[in-house]
Each structure stands twice: as structure tokens, then as C-alpha cells.
Amino acid sequence: MEMAGTELRLGLPGTDPSSTSKISNKRCSSHRNNNDEPPPKAQVVGWPPVRSYRKNILEASYVKVSMDGAAYLRKIDLTIYKSYPQLLKALENMFKCSIDVYSETDGYNGCNYIPTYEDKDGDWMLAGDVPWDMFINSCKRLRIMKGSEAKGLASL
């Protein structure tokens, strides 16, 4: 019994069927490994490189920064700064404003803008009230408030 009408053949329509090869459902044994293991996959290169991306995220401490009256937010990595004065200088450059350094005796008395932060407990504190290392570990986000609105945070 011949099934010439139902056989699958490779080739263009109108070509000689005897010159084309038949498609078989069986795999050629010469293409298999000795242990019937699948061939090794090629290394996929893509973006983003996940491993280095995750590594950098674990070492960074990004927080959102907002400023009263500014129409945009910023995000900064607190770990690149080593002290409050460095952070405040960067915020001044970022938002084009003037922020004085915190004084233990006077606080931010008389400043137009006062840097505050939200800690892990959800409380708003003055940036500079706690040691730098404690600040970096507890800061969830920063807000540069107008001096007139920050009166309730501490004795300014």
C-alpha cells in the first residue's frame, strides 16, 4: 500500500518530488550524544546583567528626596556620602537652594530650608539629630522642608 499523496516532502511546488528528501519524525542518531543528553545551551547574553545589578543594589541605599515647592523628586544613594555636610552640599546643588549645617546648640535656627527624614518607624526627624551611621541605616526618605513648616519637629 503506497501513501505517496500523504507523504511530506521538502521542496517548492512544481519541482520533481524524487529530488527532494522526506521528512521523518525520527531524529537522526548521529546528532545525539552517547547518553541521550540534550545538546548544551549557548550562553545567553542580555540586559540587564542580573547578577551585577543585584550585587550593586544590595550595596546601595537609595532614598527618595523631595523638596517643598519643587515639582520633581530625586533618588540618591546615601552610601556615597560620608557625612551630613557632604549630603547637604549635594542636596543644595541638586535643588539649587541653601541649607546650613545642623548645630547641636541651635539646630537649623533661621534656615529657609531644613532637611528632614522619615525613619524606619515612620517618624519624621531632623537630619543631623543622630550620628551619621545611624542615619544611613534608618533613613527611608528625605524631605527638604520650608523652615516655617518644620517648627514641630524639634526646637529650631
Side-chain angles (χ1 to χ4, degrees), residues 123-136:
D123 298 327
W124 283 94
M125 311 281 285
L126 290 175
D129 272 350
V130 296
W132 178 250
D133 293 334
M134 188 183 294
F135 168 75
I136 293 226

Side-chain angles (χ1 to χ4, degrees), residues 1-152:
M1 185 171 143
E2 189 172 319
M3 298 182 162
T6 59
E7 287 186 49
L8 295 175
R9 298 182 181 270
L10 294 176
L12 296 173
T15 59
D16 182 18
S18 62
S19 65
T20 59
S21 60
K22 294 181 181 180
I23 296 176
S24 173
N25 288 336
K26 296 180 181 178
R27 293 185 180 180
C28 179
S29 62
S30 65
H31 291 265
R32 290 187 168 192
N33 294 336
N34 292 341
N35 297 330
D36 287 334
E37 295 176 8
K41 293 182 180 179
Q43 183 179 1
V44 178
V45 178
W47 183 257
V50 176
R51 289 183 183 158
S52 63
Y53 173 74
R54 286 185 179 163
K55 180 181 174 186
N56 291 340
I57 285 295
L58 294 176
E59 295 171 2
S61 178
Y62 287 98
V63 295
K64 290 181 182 177
V65 182
S66 64
M67 180 174 175
D68 290 354
Y72 54 90
L73 296 172
R74 295 288 180 99
K75 200 173 229 186
I76 61 170
D77 179 8
L78 292 177
T79 59
I80 65 172
Y81 305 105
K82 303 298 179 208
S83 64
Y84 285 111
Q86 283 184 354
L87 173 64
L88 296 179
K89 188 68 173 169
L91 293 174
E92 286 177 344
N93 293 336
M94 190 179 299
F95 289 102
K96 307 297 184 222
C97 67
S98 176
I99 305 170
D100 288 336
V101 178
Y102 179 80
S103 166
E104 289 187 22
T105 57
D106 297 330
Y108 287 103
N109 195 14
C111 294
N112 290 333
Y113 291 101
I114 298 172
T116 61
Y117 72 98
E118 183 181 12
D119 65 6
K120 289 181 179 180
D121 298 328
D123 298 327
W124 283 94
M125 311 281 285
L126 290 175
D129 272 350
V130 296
W132 178 250
D133 293 334
M134 188 183 294
F135 168 75
I136 293 226
N137 292 324
S138 65
C139 181
K140 286 185 0 186
R141 62 181 171 163
L142 283 164
R143 178 180 172 199
I144 303 171
M145 299 177 75
K146 290 182 180 176
S148 59
E149 294 181 15
K151 295 291 183 192

